[in-house]
Amino acid sequence: MSEFLVAILLGIVEGVTEFLPVSSTGHLILASELMGYDAAQWAVFNIAIQPGAILAIVALYWRTFLAVFKGLLRWEAASVAFVRNLLLAFFPAVVLGLAFGDQIDALLENAVVVAWALIAGGIAILVIERLARTENVLGISGVSTAQSIKIGLVQCIAMIPGVSRSGATIMGAMALGIDRRTAADFSFFLALPTLTGATVLQLYKHRDVITGSGIELIAIGFVVSFVVALAVVKAFLAVVTRHGFAPFAWYRIVAGAAALTWLYTR
């Protein structure tokens, strides 16, 4: 299989899974293994294409970004709170990402860790869905500073591949009493600084080994993930509104069990 086709397929995987609580990084690692490629070889690519999916959020929510920008110029309380909450939630990932970067990189090469994390995360989603007592919150600006910091700390668990950044932040927010839609929106917007920062860090750390063809492959994956994510986000919100997160939890458990079976018997 050509590397260009692999880049397209991984871009599709990224676009489909980035905002679902199923772990995009975990699926990219498993997909690389399934196609017979060394997960370590594609680790930088898998992280570098994530902003493609993130750009889809900018495209879908451009009116919100414009409103926040205008509000900041007028120093409106809601816009200030919106940006403040996202920055507070982003900060723990910066600290832990810089402190434990090498250990995190090592985990990105371990498909077995991904499989177990998929199963554990699925069980956690089922438990939180059943036990969480949520209240309607008036958007991201209505989230308290303490809740924002706690969501940021929970997001750091997703540094373990297979946990799912979106799953951790959404479930963490719901466990703190935040309603599903606000929790999902918070997760979407928090992805912008978090994944952009992770990509910049990885590209800088591995700048010496990224070739011209590597940049070309990243560009292909970036564009594909953007296009696919545009369609997936709206579909995801529709499913969550009607069925909650249980379908994704059961998918995680089945996928994780299947991956473990394959990894230990191949």
Side-chain angles (χ1 to χ4, degrees):
M1 185 182 299
S2 74
E3 290 189 334
F4 290 104
L5 181 55
V6 174
I8 292 172
L9 291 175
L10 293 180
I12 293 172
V13 172
E14 166 62 23
V16 170
T17 59
E18 180 56 57
F19 298 105
L20 306 185
V22 297
S23 178
S24 61
T25 302
H27 276 74
L28 289 168
I29 293 171
L30 291 176
S32 300
E33 290 273 352
L34 188 62
M35 290 185 288
Y37 286 86
D38 181 8
Q41 174 188 348
W42 287 86
V44 176
F45 172 90
N46 290 341
I47 291 178
I49 66 172
Q50 289 177 329
I54 300 309
L55 188 60
I57 292 298
V58 177
L60 290 170
Y61 288 89
W62 67 270
R63 290 183 179 84
T64 300
F65 286 105
L66 181 60
V68 170
F69 177 72
K70 290 180 177 178
L72 285 176
L73 293 179
R74 295 189 289 269
W75 205 250
E76 294 176 352
S79 295
V80 172
F82 183 100
V83 174
R84 177 202 65 208
N85 290 344
L86 293 180
L87 290 177
L88 287 173
F90 171 55
F91 183 71
V94 175
V95 175
L96 293 181
L98 292 175
F100 300 101
D102 292 339
Q103 292 87 337
I104 294 168
D105 287 347
L107 290 175
L108 293 175
E109 304 172 14
N110 196 321
V112 174
V113 170
V114 171
W116 280 113
L118 284 172
I119 296 171
I123 295 171
I125 290 174
L126 291 174
V127 171
I128 293 173
E129 272 269 89
R130 179 175 292 274
L131 299 180
R133 296 292 179 265
T134 62
E135 300 178 359
N136 288 330
V137 177
L138 297 177
I140 294 174
S141 59
V143 177
S144 71
T145 55
Q147 287 174 323
S148 298
I149 294 171
K150 291 175 182 177
I151 292 172
L153 291 171
V154 172
Q155 177 179 240
C156 293
I157 300 173
M159 291 178 180
I160 301 172
V163 169
S164 171
R165 189 206 60 82
S166 60
T169 51
I170 292 171
M171 290 299 113
M174 289 178 59
L176 292 170
I178 299 169
D179 63 275
R180 284 177 181 166
R181 181 54 191 261
T182 301
D185 284 346
F186 200 111
S187 176
F188 291 165
F189 289 116
L190 181 56
L192 270 72
T194 301
L195 298 185
T196 300
T199 299
V200 171
L201 179 61
Q202 285 295 324
L203 292 179
Y204 176 77
K205 288 172 63 176
H206 300 279
R207 62 191 183 280
D208 295 333
V209 298
I210 298 177
T211 62
S213 61
I215 294 175
E216 188 175 0
L217 292 174
I218 289 172
I220 292 172
F222 182 100
V223 172
V224 172
S225 66
F226 166 73
V227 174
V228 174
L230 281 174
V232 170
V233 170
K234 289 187 176 181
F236 168 63
L237 291 174
V239 170
V240 168
T241 300
R242 294 188 61 183
H243 306 290
F245 294 98
F248 302 104
W250 287 114
Y251 166 78
R252 289 179 63 107
I253 293 170
V254 172
L260 281 177
T261 302
W262 175 66
L263 289 168
Y264 284 122
T265 58
R266 60 177 174 168

